Amino acid sequence: MRATRLSRLLIAAALGSTLVLAPLAASAYEGDVFSLKNRWEHTVTQMPANQRQSALKSLSSEAEQLANQYPSEAEVLIWQGIVLASYARERGGLGALGTAGDARDVLERAIEIDPQGGNGSAYVTLGALYDRAPGRPLGFGNSNTAERMFQRALEIRPDGIDVNYYYATFLKDEGNTQAAREHAQRAVNGNARESRQASDEALRREAEKLLGQL
């Protein structure tokens, strides 16, 4: 009896240690992701255009190191993908295709881990990537895949400013002006996320500009 009781105590102690260590591990990467997100927001919403590419290059290196440290954490991979996609957009041209492809691969891996894609953020970024990249043989761009990614994001977060804005720009390019106007208006009326206040408000202003063009 004494041995059995001791075994149970040891098991309970081991489980208790696991429960304590798990939040500690999570808080370690969450703090890094929070810092990365804040600096990304500052870069894309406040930094002068001639400084953004260099800053995003540095952030993408930092995000890669974080992803190497936490390769199974969807949130880490999603933010690596967002930073890489932003860096590719700033670089522009054919030289950015490799970076855009890396962003796509990371985000698709994140979705395998988290089918909700970080509350839709991964799907929004993937939609924009598939929309903007050239098609084969140069790149991986594909309108049908972009549409599917945007629709998935809308299922998860229908009132999101980001998904409605980027979907509106996609629809405008596809020649669907009426639907583009509808989603641009939804972006203007959408809810900014507390965790992404600056970037969502910047996209709301872009949606207002887009409405004036439709």
Side-chain angles (χ1 to χ4, degrees):
M1 289 289 293
R2 187 173 297 174
T4 302
R5 185 180 178 190
L6 180 59
S7 297
R8 288 174 179 170
L9 287 171
L10 289 172
I11 291 170
L15 288 173
S17 298
T18 301
L19 292 172
V20 170
L21 288 173
L24 288 176
S27 63
Y29 80 77
E30 285 173 356
D32 290 331
V33 169
F34 182 77
S35 173
L36 185 72
K37 176 193 74 70
N38 283 345
R39 283 176 289 137
W40 172 84
E41 287 229 344
H42 173 78
T43 300
V44 300
T45 63
Q46 298 182 43
M47 191 169 285
N50 62 352
Q51 297 177 22
R52 284 199 294 262
Q53 183 174 328
S54 175
L56 287 167
K57 181 180 181 180
S58 177
L59 284 178
S60 66
S61 297
E62 184 178 328
E64 181 181 11
Q65 293 175 9
L66 193 60
N68 288 338
Q69 190 174 358
Y70 301 100
S72 299
E73 297 295 343
E75 185 181 11
V76 173
L77 296 177
I78 288 169
W79 272 101
Q80 183 189 15
I82 290 172
V83 171
L84 284 169
S86 299
Y87 179 38
R89 184 173 64 245
E90 284 300 322
R91 291 183 68 187
L94 295 179
L97 280 176
T99 304
D102 290 342
R104 173 202 59 189
D105 294 345
V106 165
L107 290 166
E108 290 181 345
R109 193 159 72 248
I111 286 171
E112 291 177 4
I113 299 169
D114 172 19
Q116 291 294 301
N119 199 27
S121 293
Y123 294 103
V124 176
T125 309
L126 278 169
L129 285 167
Y130 277 105
D131 176 29
R132 292 171 176 173
R136 296 185 183 279
L138 289 176
F140 59 87
N142 187 293
S143 293
N144 291 333
T145 305
E147 172 91 30
R148 192 166 68 251
M149 294 297 104
F150 287 130
Q151 288 293 337
R152 183 71 182 99
L154 283 167
E155 290 171 6
I156 296 170
R157 195 158 36 84
D159 61 351
I161 295 173
D162 56 338
V163 58
N164 281 289
Y165 169 70
Y166 285 115
Y167 191 35
T169 63
F170 167 80
L171 291 166
K172 176 177 178 288
D173 292 342
E174 292 290 303
N176 192 342
T177 304
Q178 181 175 346
R181 187 180 297 112
E182 174 190 341
H183 284 279
Q185 186 64 62
R186 286 171 65 176
V188 170
N189 297 337
N191 297 322
R193 294 162 289 179
E194 287 186 14
S195 61
R196 301 274 291 275
Q197 190 86 25
S199 55
D200 276 354
E201 291 299 342
L203 289 178
R204 193 196 304 276
R205 292 190 293 272
E206 290 300 317
E208 290 171 347
K209 294 177 186 177
L210 180 61
L211 267 178
Q213 301 167 6
L214 296 169

